[in-house]
Amino acid sequence: MSPATGPVVVVGDALLDVDLRGSSGRDCPDAPAPVLEGVSAWHRPGGAALAATRVRDHGRDVVLLTPVGRDAAAGDLAALLGDGVTLLGLPLMERTPTKTRVRADGRTVARIDEGCDGVEGVASARAVARALEGASAVLVADYGHGFTRQGAVRAALAACAERVPLVWDPHPRGAEPLAGSRLVTPNAAEAGVAEAAGGDALRRAAELARRWGARAVAVTLGEHGAVWAGGDGSGALVPGAPVRAPSDTCGAGDAFAAACAAALAAGAGPGDAVREAVLAASAFVSGGGASSCAVPAAGPGAPLREPTAPGPGTAPGPGTAHRRGGGVVATGGCFDVLHAGHIDLLHRARALGDRLVVLLNSDSSVRRLKGAGRPVVGEHDRARVLSALDCVDEVVVFSESTPLRALERLRPDTWVKGGDYEVEDLPETPLVRSLGGEVVTVPLVPGHSTTELITRIRGGGRDGAAVR
């Protein structure tokens, strides 16, 4: 089969994994628990977010569609993804799922789960369908939070499975894999077999393929590799690659499923995909597993990472009115020293649809447009202030002089600018229209200019003077 173009879309439950690492030389006097000293916090992507980074490491562009909360953890998760992964965070939860492990001298002594009770909001069918447009393959990374049970999600995935490979990585508390899936990847426990089962595992894979209506099922067997079986009677045992004393096997299943999705997107058949995935999962475990993906937790003032930083906006609920056709509305600018004119523009833009995304010029972009004395407020703080507004659902920081690349990825239904611009003169107009969107301008509140405001604050001083 020939390789497909377009990104691999990962759909599922993303987690923020936090490690609190410390050393202990004594236990509590009142309980059999270690006393930790020198504690440091480390962040790493988990669940669907980890799977997305594994697909990216196979050289594929990735779109991650996942529910997130209206909290700082959503921004922390976005910052972990890095280049090559576009986060489409649907604000359907109050809190982003976060699992915090307390570790003493490398040993986990406790875990604190927050926001893991399930998805509270309902995903927009249009938003899900748009996210899957142009996919070369789809990977469902189900962690049992209920997102893949939603009717709109399942309908969009079923339609996509008719066009491109769909890999489904199931969970014991998750949804049933969709019929028509190209490959389903349960582990041995999920399949109900022992890791050393061999022939029994092969027969079980064939049974599950028939039960789920999948074209093939691959059962991972830990150090023993994997078996796969197709509905047509094909199948094989793929031995595992040697791994010396693995210290952390967490995430091996995500690495396996991600490699399968990348291989199928490149045109491989199920047998070749499973062979590549066994090698990839072994290499992942040999390299330290999920722990190798951890980075020190960013402190205050740390820069946001492109491409996205989801904001705490409210997802439209059932019965929400659609204005001017509804859908995704985008606006952009520097938003340096936020003022009443900005707030009015943002509220007017949000009223034109169901979701507002703000494309924010990075610090380097602002300097090119406004001069060396700007911005007054850095991109991290500007993004956080915008994200705190109820009318803003998401903030995307871009580094170019114009947001054309960001618009091409986002494909908004409506692009909004202030009334001091002429629609036909905007550099974004041809692109937005070519993508099927509409460009509109809204009246501005008179007497509100960021440049004039900054000049007054600086007492009429030259650009670059200290702000008093």
Side-chain angles (χ1 to χ4, degrees):
M1 186 176 296
S2 60
T5 59
V8 173
V9 180
V10 178
V11 179
D13 306 308
L15 314 171
L16 174 64
D17 281 333
V18 180
D19 290 343
L20 297 180
R21 302 176 181 177
S23 59
S24 176
R26 58 192 176 94
D27 287 347
C28 296
D30 56 342
V35 176
L36 267 65
E37 297 178 339
V39 176
S40 60
W42 294 70
H43 287 176
R44 51 191 170 92
L50 177 61
T53 63
R54 296 303 92 201
V55 176
R56 185 265 318 280
D57 288 351
H58 287 277
R60 309 291 306 196
D61 288 332
V62 182
V63 172
L64 171 59
L65 179 68
T66 185
V68 295
R70 306 172 180 91
D71 54 8
D76 293 334
L77 182 64
L80 289 170
L81 296 175
D83 296 335
V85 179
T86 298
L87 173 62
L88 298 182
L90 302 180
L92 304 178
M93 311 175 77
E94 287 300 321
R95 306 190 70 171
T96 299
T98 302
K99 295 184 178 181
T100 302
R101 293 168 177 81
V102 182
R103 298 175 64 86
D105 300 313
R107 181 173 62 93
T108 299
V109 297
R111 195 180 84 182
I112 305 165
D113 288 2
E114 301 172 281
C116 298
D117 294 332
V119 179
E120 295 119 6
V122 178
S124 159
R126 185 175 183 180
V128 177
R130 284 172 60 90
L132 295 174
E133 288 179 0
S136 59
V138 177
L139 168 60
V140 175
D142 190 355
Y143 271 73
H145 293 174
F147 185 53
T148 59
R149 292 186 184 277
Q150 296 193 2
V153 177
R154 295 184 73 80
L157 289 171
C160 200
E162 297 177 357
R163 307 189 306 270
V164 298
L166 172 65
V167 177
W168 195 292
D169 192 12
H171 190 276
R173 297 190 305 275
E176 187 93 344
L178 278 170
S181 296
R182 187 73 58 87
L183 188 62
V184 183
T185 60
N187 61 29
E190 292 161 349
V193 296
E195 287 189 345
D200 288 342
L202 188 59
R203 286 186 288 274
R204 181 58 173 160
E207 291 173 3
L208 290 174
R210 292 191 293 270
R211 169 183 158 186
W212 288 329
R215 297 195 193 181
V217 168
V219 179
T220 58
L221 304 175
E223 63 179 323
H224 300 286
V227 296
W228 73 272
D232 58 0
S234 59
L237 168 64
V238 181
V243 176
R244 288 189 302 173
S247 59
D248 184 5
T249 60
C250 180
D254 294 302
F256 180 90
C260 286
L264 291 173
D272 288 337
V274 171
R275 280 188 285 273
E276 291 184 28
V278 167
L279 294 174
S282 298
F284 178 73
V285 173
S286 294
S291 297
S292 65
C293 303
V295 297
L304 287 174
R305 295 279 297 277
E306 293 190 34
T308 60
T314 302
T320 299
H322 286 217
R323 309 166 187 85
R324 195 188 283 266
V328 177
V329 180
T331 188
C334 303
F335 295 96
D336 197 7
V337 186
L338 199 68
H339 54 66
H342 291 141
I343 300 299
D344 186 78
L345 170 68
L346 294 171
H347 277 289
R348 288 172 182 262
R350 181 61 175 82
L352 298 176
D354 300 322
R355 180 174 173 80
L356 175 62
V357 180
V358 177
L359 306 184
L360 181 68
N361 294 74
S362 69
D363 291 349
S364 60
S365 177
V366 175
R367 281 191 291 273
R368 286 196 300 272
L369 295 172
K370 305 291 186 180
R374 300 280 295 276
V376 172
V377 180
E379 67 190 51
H380 180 82
D381 288 343
R382 286 185 285 128
R384 285 192 176 276
V385 170
L386 287 167
S387 294
L389 300 175
D390 289 340
C391 59
V392 176
D393 297 289
E394 185 176 357
V395 177
V396 176
V397 181
F398 67 94
S399 57
E400 300 84 4
S401 297
T402 63
L404 294 178
R405 289 179 58 190
L407 282 170
E408 192 168 13
R409 292 194 297 265
L410 182 63
R411 303 172 68 91
D413 298 283
T414 309
W415 172 243
V416 178
K417 292 293 286 185
D420 54 342
Y421 291 96
E422 292 291 336
V423 169
E424 301 303 326
D425 295 337
L426 291 169
E428 300 91 351
T429 295
L431 173 63
V432 173
R433 287 176 174 170
S434 72
L435 298 173
E438 179 183 19
V439 181
V440 301
T441 60
V442 297
L444 293 177
V445 176
H448 288 82
S449 163
T450 303
T451 300
E452 292 175 1
L453 177 61
I454 292 174
T455 299
R456 291 200 303 271
I457 293 172
R458 287 172 168 166
R462 67 184 185 278
D463 282 349
V467 177
R468 295 183 177 88

